Amino acid sequence: MTESLTAVINLDVAGPQISRHVYGHFAEHLGHCIYGGIFVGEDSDIPNVRGIRTDVVEALRALDIPNLRWPGGCFADEYHWRDGVGPREDRPTVVNTHWGNVVEDNSFGTHEFMDLVDQLGTEPYICGNVGSGTVHEMADWVEYLTRSGEAPMSSLRRANGRDEPWKVKFWGIGNESWGCGGNMRPEYYADLARQYSTYCREHDGNKLYKIAGGANIDDYHWTETLMKTLGDLGCGCNPRHFFDAISLHYYTFPGEWEPKHPAIDSDADTYYDTMRSAWRIDELLTRHGNVMDVYDPAKRIGLVLDEWGTWFSVESGTNPGFLYQQNTMRDALVASVHFDSFHRHADRLVMANIAQTVNVLQAVLLTDGDQLVKTPTYHVFEMNKGHQDADSLDVAWIKEPVPTREVNKVTVPMVSASASTKDGSALVSLSNLDLEESRTVRLDLRGRGVTAVAGRILSATDIADHNTGATPEAVAPAAFETGAVDGGILTVELPAHSFVTLSLTLA
Ligand code: AHR
């Protein structure tokens, strides 16, 4: 049985711009994200440019990835950047205590990361070490990366083979300082963030966008404490003196925190609970935003969700410290629900980073030797890329309420949607989260005429369907037929557990 839902979209009433940076990525020295997944070394049989996998670069370029966060994560607060510069044979080895207790040989360091960023055509987002580093060490790293001329760190960079400084905008001041980044209390961290930020200098006009390490999930006290340290915003002074943005971390998983659920799972209860968890991002963005509004009603300080994604149990036979999990149609719907929420919060959310890009948690790419698989999550990033830097459009449900489902005492909407407009077109994203029911959705398109519609769909026979080296296209986008727009109404039939995008050409 199908129900009819109607959503009004005023194509001529543009809301806040959706920053392209909410389609950001995160690559940590964790398992096979960097080593094997991105960096294989120049001598590898796997095609590479200066050690960086060609297939991975090609796949990520097709997503127009706007930024890449590195080197962690928890690893960032144990990372000492000097270990990763200079001749490789002279670089020290260290133990990656967070992730598998494996030996890190530092063969992928600052120059290799900036080469990767260059090959991807993306912007670097570097997370500095507050937990076990020093103010001096962080200040030197900024100088090493961004200063020209004769100065101690620019001379060292030159001696290591790079003459020109790089441009680096996004700078993280520690990671999860409430946990793996030092187990600090917010009051203590807030002062440290001010101190570290003070010495991250802007060399040669390189404008830093400093991101303070923010809250875990619903720790609103952490957000409030950081906002308070910005001082009296009524004073007319620049509130961005210490940092430009505050981060937030939120992972999606069914049940209580404990990664015990397999990534490949058709169980309906677990699926709906995963959707409950995915929808929670909307509440968190609203509530953290509300706290920030009290101190910064003009929304000059950004919110950066620099870790998000699903967290399931690792695949059997893999190192538990490597966080390697498969990625199914269920992950795709988790991603689409997140993006809809990101678009709705475009006024405050300035960046988001999927955890993580390759081979870790909700990866967009999985590698196995020389094989590369694009996951269902990859396809959501690709189908949605037209939202990058577009103006958000409100999607207002009328007449019929959006169907919901009670899941562990939470009312979970079964349809998710968002829309945006850019360059004479509009993009509408629609997700039907119901495992059984298809949904007829009527889009009441007002304010502009629509001359053409191009639809695409990502769907699967089973919610646990996924891609492998043997079946790389098991879950892949296909053309989605719609009728013509009739009197401003476009009617679409969303199959169960599917994700659809509609590109509208505007008159
Ligand atoms: O993404 C994996 C880990 O999750 C990150 O290193 C850490 O910041 C978070 O706890």
Side-chain angles (χ1 to χ4, degrees):
M1 197 191 86
T2 60
E3 294 168 28
S4 184
L5 284 167
T6 302
V8 171
I9 303 177
N10 287 305
L11 296 166
D12 58 339
V13 183
Q17 192 180 64
I18 297 164
S19 169
R20 66 181 180 282
H21 290 292
V22 300
Y23 284 84
H25 281 257
F26 171 34
E28 182 168 12
H29 288 236
L30 194 178
H32 293 299
C33 184
I34 295 290
Y35 296 111
I38 290 174
F39 188 72
V40 288
E42 288 91 336
D43 299 333
S44 172
D45 291 338
I46 298 171
N48 68 83
V49 175
R50 292 180 294 281
I52 295 167
R53 287 181 75 129
T54 309
D55 53 356
V56 167
V57 168
E58 269 173 20
L60 293 177
R61 282 189 79 97
L63 296 183
D64 294 342
I65 79 166
N67 68 71
L68 182 61
R69 179 175 185 247
W70 174 84
C74 295
F75 183 77
D77 279 297
E78 262 191 331
Y79 184 61
H80 301 283
W81 67 270
R82 279 191 176 80
D83 293 346
V85 297
R88 290 224 183 97
E89 59 277 15
D90 296 343
R91 296 183 192 177
T93 55
V94 296
V95 175
N96 189 336
T97 58
H98 284 291
W99 306 121
N101 222 24
V102 295
V103 172
E104 156 73 53
D105 70 2
N106 281 301
S107 54
F108 188 92
T110 299
H111 290 248
E112 290 79 11
F113 174 66
M114 295 308 291
D115 188 13
L116 169 65
V117 158
D118 202 37
Q119 292 188 36
L120 292 173
T122 193
E123 285 195 58
Y125 169 14
I126 292 181
C127 185
N129 179 345
V130 171
S132 70
T134 64
V135 176
H136 190 181
E137 180 183 7
M138 192 186 288
D140 276 355
W141 201 8
V142 174
E143 183 180 314
Y144 185 91
L145 281 154
T146 61
R147 191 178 176 94
S148 64
E150 294 302 321
M153 290 302 109
S154 38
S155 301
L156 179 60
R157 183 192 65 240
R158 206 167 292 119
N160 288 332
R162 169 84 185 192
D163 187 14
E164 287 298 305
W166 291 282
K167 285 283 177 209
V168 178
K169 179 177 175 187
F170 301 117
W171 194 269
I173 305 169
N175 169 77
E176 296 194 350
S177 305
W178 40 263
C180 65
N183 287 304
M184 300 173 199
R185 291 169 299 115
E187 293 76 13
Y188 179 70
Y189 171 74
D191 281 342
L192 276 188
R194 289 167 61 124
Q195 183 190 2
Y196 274 74
S197 166
T198 302
Y199 297 96
C200 290
R201 306 292 190 194
E202 298 191 337
H203 301 280
D204 296 323
N206 180 76
K207 180 94 187 79
L208 291 174
Y209 186 91
K210 295 177 218 166
I211 301 165
N216 189 30
I217 315 176
D218 56 359
D219 186 351
Y220 303 113
H221 174 61
W222 188 283
T223 298
E224 178 147 31
T225 306
L226 284 180
M227 290 305 292
K228 276 183 187 163
T229 70
L230 293 170
D232 177 9
L233 296 186
C235 69
C237 54
N238 182 3
R240 293 176 171 167
H241 189 64
F242 302 115
F243 35 83
D244 301 85
I246 293 178
S247 75
L248 169 68
H249 287 181
Y250 178 63
Y251 285 94
T252 294
F253 46 83
E256 298 299 314
W257 166 242
E258 195 187 342
K260 64 180 178 193
H261 291 274
I264 304 173
D265 189 355
S266 300
D267 179 69
D269 289 343
T270 310
Y271 166 78
Y272 284 119
D273 202 40
T274 305
M275 292 303 122
R276 173 201 56 75
S277 180
W279 266 102
R280 193 167 178 216
I281 188 59
D282 209 56
E283 175 196 328
L284 296 172
L285 294 179
T286 300
R287 290 182 188 271
H288 282 285
N290 288 346
V291 172
M292 295 173 79
D293 285 348
V294 172
Y295 299 89
D296 175 30
K299 300 186 194 295
R300 287 173 292 188
I301 302 296
L303 184 59
V304 168
L305 180 70
D306 55 14
E307 290 187 24
W308 70 272
T310 54
W311 197 314
F312 297 117
S313 50
V314 300
E315 297 302 324
S316 78
T318 66
N319 186 327
F322 283 9
L323 308 186
Y324 175 82
Q325 64 190 43
Q326 247 296 354
N327 192 290
T328 71
M329 187 65 211
R330 180 176 63 177
D331 293 80
L333 294 174
V334 168
S336 65
V337 165
H338 275 71
F339 285 131
D340 289 338
S341 182
F342 296 171
H343 303 158
R344 280 192 291 275
H345 289 90
D347 59 344
R348 180 68 82 176
L349 189 74
V350 296
M351 187 191 286
N353 304 75
I354 183 86
Q356 297 192 8
T357 305
V358 190
N359 291 335
V360 170
L361 298 175
Q362 193 175 350
V364 300
L365 297 173
L366 297 175
T367 67
D368 182 7
D370 63 354
Q371 280 187 341
L372 177 76
V373 165
K374 293 174 180 167
T375 66
T377 300
Y378 175 97
H379 294 303
V380 177
F381 272 75
E382 190 275 321
M383 291 167 71
N384 256 3
K385 71 180 181 181
H387 290 298
Q388 293 190 24
D389 285 343
D391 293 330
S392 56
L393 294 171
D394 196 31
V395 178
W397 297 102
I398 59 166
K399 296 182 188 161
E400 293 273 347
V402 172
T404 58
R405 194 179 179 99
E406 291 302 300
V407 186
N408 291 331
K409 300 188 181 145
V410 177
T411 303
V412 182
M414 287 291 104
V415 175
S416 178
S418 64
S420 68
T421 183
K422 181 171 69 174
D423 301 335
S425 63
L427 182 62
V428 181
S429 298
L430 295 161
S431 302
N432 179 7
L433 308 183
D434 202 300
L435 283 181
E436 308 288 337
E437 304 274 342
S438 64
R439 298 281 172 200
T440 304
V441 174
R442 292 173 74 248
L443 297 176
D444 185 345
L445 303 168
R446 301 181 184 178
R448 304 266 309 257
V450 176
T451 55
V453 180
R456 297 172 78 198
I457 184 166
L458 189 71
S459 191
T461 310
D462 189 276
I463 196 67
D465 285 355
H466 55 278
N467 298 331
T468 65
T471 55
E473 304 277 303
V475 184
F480 178 70
E481 296 302 324
T482 69
V485 178
D486 184 5
I489 303 293
L490 177 62
T491 304
V492 293
E493 182 82 11
L494 302 177
H497 56 79
S498 68
F499 172 63
V500 164
T501 55
L502 303 169
S503 295
L504 313 179
T505 306
L506 304 182

